[in-house]
Amino acid sequence: MTDYYAILGVPRTASTSEIRQAYARLARDKHPDRFADPAERAQAHDAFRDITTAFNALSNDKSRREYDQGLERPRPTGPVEIAREAYERAVQHMRANEFHEAVDLLRSAVHHAPQEARYRAALATALARNPRWVRDAIQEAEQAARLEPGVAEHHVLVAELLLSQGLRLRARRAAEAALRLSPDDPRARRVVEEAGS
């Protein structure tokens, strides 16, 4: 994990005021507009981006607490552990209705463990909260259903997302697949009824 305290040159015990002062000093010194040479400007741009990221993480009490907790946790070593940790953190964000953060974490989980259907289903659920991302949500839900075709919940998720987009025939097919696996599923039955014949 990147050490934001080291980037800003402050101790972990620094107050918010000290963090702001360090950021202001570094932002002034490293701002890309101060450099005429293209190579120096590019280098300054990267440094300025890192400084801003560190400041954003440490200047807000909530994000700083989360960052500090992350520093204290043992770091995952392989893709499976990275994916699991990202998924677990995403679930916490979803419970807090912080869906943008959850989407970022779930994309990481899917990247590191692409064959894990529950990560894809969770990503579909989080994506569906933003109307502009529903198409991506449908793709992730369909991929979860392909990875675990025997899990009715995945088919129900696909059906609900398709129905929300007015794709009644496809929604009905997905709901019927769910009902073959779980004949009493109320969500699948509702989709079948709403989709019509």
Side-chain angles (χ1 to χ4, degrees):
M1 179 178 265
T2 306
D3 188 345
Y4 292 153
Y5 292 102
I7 289 173
L8 294 178
V10 296
R12 284 188 66 180
T13 56
S15 68
T16 303
S17 173
E18 291 170 320
I19 289 169
R20 287 184 196 284
Q21 289 171 358
Y23 171 73
R25 184 183 80 266
L26 289 168
R28 185 178 55 247
D29 293 344
K30 299 290 185 182
H31 199 282
D33 291 346
R34 295 191 65 224
F35 301 92
D37 180 59
E40 288 178 345
R41 182 182 287 255
Q43 210 172 18
H45 178 73
D46 292 343
F48 188 76
R49 183 193 62 226
D50 293 343
I51 292 164
T52 302
T53 301
F55 173 73
N56 288 339
L58 299 179
S59 63
N60 175 291
D61 288 341
K62 181 181 176 192
S63 63
R64 183 175 182 178
R65 254 191 322 276
E66 189 175 297
Y67 174 75
D68 287 345
Q69 289 169 353
L71 285 177
E72 294 165 6
R73 267 187 248 130
R75 303 302 334 139
T77 55
V80 172
E81 289 107 6
I82 292 169
R84 186 181 324 110
E85 181 188 3
Y87 172 75
E88 289 168 358
R89 289 176 52 212
V91 168
Q92 293 171 353
H93 282 291
M94 288 174 75
R95 286 184 184 136
N97 292 324
E98 297 166 343
F99 293 100
H100 278 27
E101 294 86 347
V103 165
D104 290 341
L105 289 165
L106 289 165
R107 285 191 194 281
S108 175
V110 166
H111 172 76
H112 286 94
Q115 299 303 312
E116 186 63 56
R118 70 183 168 138
Y119 299 165
R120 290 188 178 273
L123 178 55
T125 301
L127 286 166
R129 299 303 294 245
N130 185 326
R132 294 180 307 202
W133 296 343
V134 175
R135 181 180 288 188
D136 293 338
I138 291 169
Q139 290 174 350
E140 291 298 336
E142 288 176 334
Q143 186 63 26
R146 278 192 287 278
L147 289 168
E148 291 182 343
V151 177
E153 177 66 25
H154 299 327
H155 296 283
V156 171
L157 180 57
V158 171
E160 290 176 335
L161 290 170
L162 290 169
L163 187 62
S164 76
Q165 298 303 295
L167 302 169
R168 295 179 176 278
L169 182 59
R170 287 178 60 196
R172 183 178 176 88
R173 281 192 213 127
E176 288 170 348
L179 287 172
R180 283 192 292 277
L181 296 166
S182 178
D184 297 326
D185 191 298
R187 290 169 52 203
R189 287 189 178 283
R190 183 188 57 77
V191 171
V192 168
E193 289 170 11
E194 287 185 29
S197 57

